[in-house]
Structures are given as C-alpha cells and as structure tokens.
Amino acid sequence: MSGRLSSLLVIVCGWLLTASALANGRMPGANDLVFSAGDPTRLVARATFGIVHSEDRGASWSWVCEQAIDVSGVIADPPIAMTADGSLVLLPPTGSALVSSDRGCNWVRAPAPLAATRGVDLTVDPSDEKRVLVVTSTLRKVDDAGFGVYENLVVETRDDARSFVVLATLPADFEAETIEVARSDARRIYVSGSDAYDPRLGVILRSEDAGATWSRSTLNLPAGTGSLWISGIHPRDPDRVWVRVAARGDTIGLLPARLYLSTDKGVSFTMLAATGKGMFGFALSPDGNRVAYGGPSDGLFVGPSDGSAFVKRSSLGVRCLRWPEQQALYVCASEPADPFSLGVSSDEGGSFRALYRLTDTCPASCAMGTSFAASCQAAWSQTRPFIQASGAMCSVPWSAPTRTDAGWDDASAPPTMSSADVDSGPNRSLDASSVLTDAALTAEPRANASGCDCQISSASGSRPYVGALAMMLLALGLACRRHERGTRSTRRSG
C-alpha cells in the first residue's frame, strides 16, 4: 500500500471512530446547495455535519450543527429548500418537517398535515418561491401478501412555510421519492417513486391541473437499481423531463447510475448517459439547452440537453450540481481528495473558483437561548478539529447579543419561531489561487487542506483509489462503528 493511501486511510478511520458525534461516521463535506431568490448574496449548503450558510456570496461561512436540526443520530441527507423570504424548510428522517425563519438559529416542527409523516422530498415552485411542495410517503401497514401500503401526500405552503395544506392524496401502491414542478407551468407537477409490489418498476405520476388529477406511467428499472428521481424539467417545455435511475440506498456512490430523458410527459424514456458509479449531481442550464451530470468517482460531464455529445470537463468528485445562472455552474466536490467542498465555474466546468473549504467554517452567530446555542456549543469543540477549521476569524457566538430581523414584525412572525438574525459579513473576493483548472488538479503530489497528499487525474483518466477507498470505507465503517444506524439516499443533489 502506498504511503499516500495509507495516510489517507489513517485519517478516514480516525473520522469513522468519532462517528457518534461527527457527521454520523461520514467524511465531512457539502452535498447540496440552495439559493435565495430575494437575496443573491445568500447561499445555504447541506453538509454531512449539519448546514453551512453564507450571507456574502461565499466569502464567509457559518455552521449549524446537525444536533440543532434533530436528525437523531442517523445517517441522513435531508432535503432542504429556501423560500422567498429566506426561511429554510428541511425534511429530517425523524418525521414531520422543520422550519427556520432565522438563518438556522431556531427550528420548529411543522404541524399537521406534516406531523407524523415521512417527508421524502420537497421543491420550491420556480415561478413563486413563497410556495414549497412536499411529498410524503409513510408506510402505514403491510398487507396480507407482505407488501407495503403507503400514505402518499403532496403538501404545499404558499406563505413561506408559515402554514401547510394537503394538495393531493396519491395512490397507496407505490413508495414516493421525488417531486418537481415546472417553471413554465406551475400546474404541471411530477412525482416519482417505485412500485410497492415490484421494486424494479419505476412509477411517475403527472398532474397537469395543479394536483386535482394524476396520470400514471412506469419505467422498467435496470437490475441493481431501484430508485427513480425526477431531476429536471425544461424551463419552457413542461413535457421534457430528465430522470436519474440509481441503486436504492447507495449513499456512497458505489453502484452504476443512468440518466434518461422523456419528451412526452414521462410516458416513454431514452437513456442519455451512465456513470460507472453513483450519479449524485445533475443540473440543467437556465435556457434548457445544456446538461451537467456527474458523480464522486466519474467526474463532471457537460453537453447538449438531448445527450448528443457529452464531454468530460473535470475529474472533481461531484456530489451536487446547480446551474442557477447561464455563466455560473456550481459543484459540491469531495474534500479532502478535492481542494474545496463548493466551487463555481463560468466556463461549464473547465475551471472552478473555490467558494467553500472546510477550514473556512465558523459557528453561526445566534443568540443565547436559541436551539443552536443549546445544541452546538459542545458539538463545535468536536467538529472544529474534525474539519480542521482555523477559527481565527470566528466570533464567539455563545454570547452573541440578540438582534431583531427586519424581515419580521411582531404581527407577522410565527409565534413559536425566534427572530434572531446574523450580521452579513463584508464582501471579499477570492484571490487568484482559488481559481482552479482541471489541469491544476492533476498535479502530484498535492497537499490538501487536511495535510494529506492526494491525486486527481486528468479529465481523460480516472480517480485513483476512489473505488478501493469506498470499499474500505464500508469495511472500516463496520469495524469502527459501535452500533448500526439507518441510511437514506441522497435525492436532491442536482
């Protein structure tokens, strides 16, 4: 075994041995990113150790621990959304939905109809960002033949997550997984999942009248898969839908995945691309003409949205992709193998500017008495060395004064939510060393922020050690963990 791989495995096992408190035994990093339509300076990233958010376009990052969000110690990548006024909605595996109106300082559980349900996915209506649609899929019983009977609901809010109502009750003979709404027609809603009786039969439900009625179509899933994710809808043509088919529960990305396109409302599909291992990222350009996809082992591919000529643009370990502006393709990468956790490209992945590195993390500035202050102080002492955060520029949040959020007044604020806010830091630009081309990523040896020498090959090559390391991670996880935890697949990574 090479010295480089041996050193990396020592770090990995050390991470896994701290699983009870740190990221549920997973390597630290970001795996989803959401934006604020009303405030372009604000970014919120889901991480394996909580949530990190920026109020200054990525110049600084504040962390909210997973204990404050109550994921109850399970391995989870809970779907997250941000509404028009900046409120955060998150679906933990512990039931109901969680809402924060104050940058993650306080979280409250949504009441009925989301109480005592298993929320599996959510999406913001791109034509009205006060509106969020949630799909729940709760196993209510097992029938005499041993098959699950699910309560599947589409629930919506139209007032920035202050209240929720049931929009539709879906059939009970499938397990729902994802939901999307078309930008060009808010009445067009797609829900995907798998058949309760045949796990290799993907199910797509389509509504063209805002949830009043639904049409059903199916897709035979290849062997070794089992999950069907609605990944994108064309911004001008609601009949054009992209879906990913992945192995059910493959949170590490060990097994192959496929990308399909339907041009007839999900009735039939054509396979566009496949990855040798997990496809955690998908993004559609704002004009609908370009598609980006990738995974932690296969790298980043970009090409025409019809799949006619995909080209590998980077060997970054892709964990999420977002394309909110034509000249801004965002990626969640894989630290420590990659030199950052979040980056942005203005040339479709040819080069990236680093937005967030784990060492940039500071605890959020929340008032004493908040759920953050109660839950995250002890966690920070463990998380800080875990992610090697310097802390040199961090404030001391545990005694931060309360400030009133100007976006709320006493009459409109939810009575159970805090109005604490945080200061937006000054904008600062990243220096030239933060702009990385794929060629720059090929340098060997390369010391990353964790002090581990790692190598990333060129776009035409492979990522050394990733497959072997992933298999070793599984074995090390079993050896290092003291008890079993549940798993949940990453659905909204692109």
Side-chain angles (χ1 to χ4, degrees):
M1 181 182 295
S2 72
R4 181 182 302 112
L5 181 56
S6 178
S7 298
L8 182 57
L9 288 177
V10 169
I11 295 172
V12 168
C13 195
W15 280 336
L16 290 173
L17 285 170
T18 58
S20 62
L22 303 176
N24 298 310
R26 295 187 293 171
M27 286 188 178
N31 53 28
D32 199 6
L33 183 64
V34 295
F35 303 86
S36 170
D39 183 1
T41 66
R42 188 174 182 213
L43 307 173
V44 177
R46 183 186 66 200
T48 56
F49 55 98
I51 289 174
V52 292
H53 62 91
S54 174
E55 306 289 334
D56 49 21
R57 294 182 180 270
S60 60
W61 291 88
S62 299
W63 164 78
V64 177
C65 66
E66 58 187 350
Q67 292 87 345
I69 307 169
D70 187 19
V71 296
S72 296
V74 298
I75 297 176
D77 291 316
I80 187 171
M82 182 159 40
T83 71
D85 74 346
S87 294
L88 298 175
V89 185
L90 184 143
L91 301 180
T94 50
S96 186
L98 292 172
V99 179
S100 175
S101 63
D102 58 5
R103 270 60 173 176
C105 290
N106 284 294
W107 296 84
V108 297
R109 288 197 176 273
L114 287 175
T117 63
R118 185 177 70 100
V120 293
D121 197 24
L122 47 67
T123 188
V124 176
D125 182 347
S127 63
D128 178 8
E129 293 187 329
K130 292 184 178 181
R131 183 189 184 211
V132 178
L133 284 80
V134 179
V135 62
T136 72
S137 191
T138 309
L139 179 64
R140 292 306 186 191
K141 67 176 183 179
V142 176
D143 65 19
D144 294 340
F147 297 105
V149 178
Y150 294 87
E151 180 186 53
N152 294 313
L153 303 175
V154 176
V155 178
E156 72 169 354
T157 175
R158 291 181 176 269
D159 55 10
D160 291 298
R162 289 173 171 81
S163 62
F164 292 86
V165 297
V166 174
L167 180 67
T169 300
L170 304 178
D173 61 349
F174 84 110
E175 182 181 0
E177 287 192 281
T178 64
I179 185 169
E180 292 291 340
V181 59
R183 178 180 295 275
S184 59
D185 182 2
R187 299 170 299 174
R188 179 70 63 87
I189 306 169
Y190 291 91
V191 173
S192 73
S194 57
D195 189 87
Y197 304 101
D198 181 358
R200 286 183 53 187
L201 184 64
V203 174
I204 295 176
L205 299 183
R206 179 187 75 253
S207 177
E208 300 183 48
D209 52 14
T213 61
W214 297 81
S215 301
R216 183 183 182 115
S217 56
T218 59
L219 173 65
N220 290 320
L221 305 179
T225 59
S227 283
L228 176 61
W229 304 335
I230 305 290
S231 298
I233 305 172
H234 195 282
R236 296 186 303 276
D237 182 0
D239 293 351
R240 295 177 68 86
V241 183
W242 288 262
V243 303
R244 282 173 289 166
V245 173
R248 181 176 291 273
D250 183 17
T251 59
I252 297 177
L254 292 178
L255 300 176
R258 295 168 174 83
L259 175 65
Y260 293 81
L261 168 65
S262 173
T263 60
D264 56 6
K265 310 178 184 181
V267 175
S268 62
F269 287 89
T270 300
M271 193 180 85
L272 302 185
T275 50
K277 295 184 179 179
M279 188 186 296
F280 285 172
F282 173 90
L284 183 65
S285 65
D287 61 9
N289 294 330
R290 307 284 286 175
V291 155
Y293 73 90
S297 297
D298 291 70
L300 170 66
F301 295 80
V302 181
S305 58
D306 63 2
S308 57
F310 285 123
V311 175
K312 187 169 185 177
R313 298 288 286 163
S314 174
S315 57
L316 287 170
V318 176
R319 298 195 173 274
C320 83
L321 291 167
R322 296 292 181 193
W323 207 334
E325 304 169 20
Q326 200 67 34
Q327 300 301 317
L329 174 62
Y330 290 80
V331 63
C332 303
S334 300
E335 281 194 277
D338 296 328
F340 56 79
S341 284
L342 290 174
V344 60
S345 173
S346 60
D347 57 3
E348 296 191 354
S351 61
F352 283 88
R353 176 170 61 89
L355 279 180
Y356 169 62
R357 297 182 178 95
L358 296 173
T359 57
D360 300 333
T361 309
C362 286
S365 296
C366 296
M368 294 301 292
T370 62
S371 59
F372 169 86
S375 304
C376 299
Q377 184 171 6
W380 174 244
S381 65
Q382 297 172 313
T383 300
R384 178 177 170 178
F386 177 55
I387 61 176
Q388 299 191 5
S390 66
M393 301 300 293
C394 297
S395 62
V396 181
W398 321 116
S399 58
T402 303
R403 290 187 53 183
T404 301
D405 185 346
W408 293 105
D409 56 38
D410 292 341
S412 61
T416 57
M417 296 185 185
S418 169
S419 302
D421 199 0
V422 299
D423 287 321
S424 295
N427 288 310
R428 64 172 174 85
S429 60
L430 295 167
D431 58 36
S433 65
S434 296
V435 181
L436 304 170
T437 64
D438 198 57
L441 298 179
T442 65
E444 183 187 10
R446 186 189 77 218
N448 58 40
S450 298
C452 170
D453 290 338
C454 300
Q455 173 189 1
I456 303 178
S457 64
S458 67
S460 61
S462 62
R463 295 172 57 81
Y465 313 139
V466 171
L469 176 59
M471 295 303 295
M472 292 179 185
L473 277 173
L474 290 178
L476 284 169
L478 292 175
C480 297
R481 290 178 190 167
R482 301 181 186 276
H483 58 84
E484 286 294 322
R485 295 188 175 111
T487 61
R488 181 180 181 139
S489 62
T490 299
R491 298 183 172 99
R492 299 203 57 76
S493 57

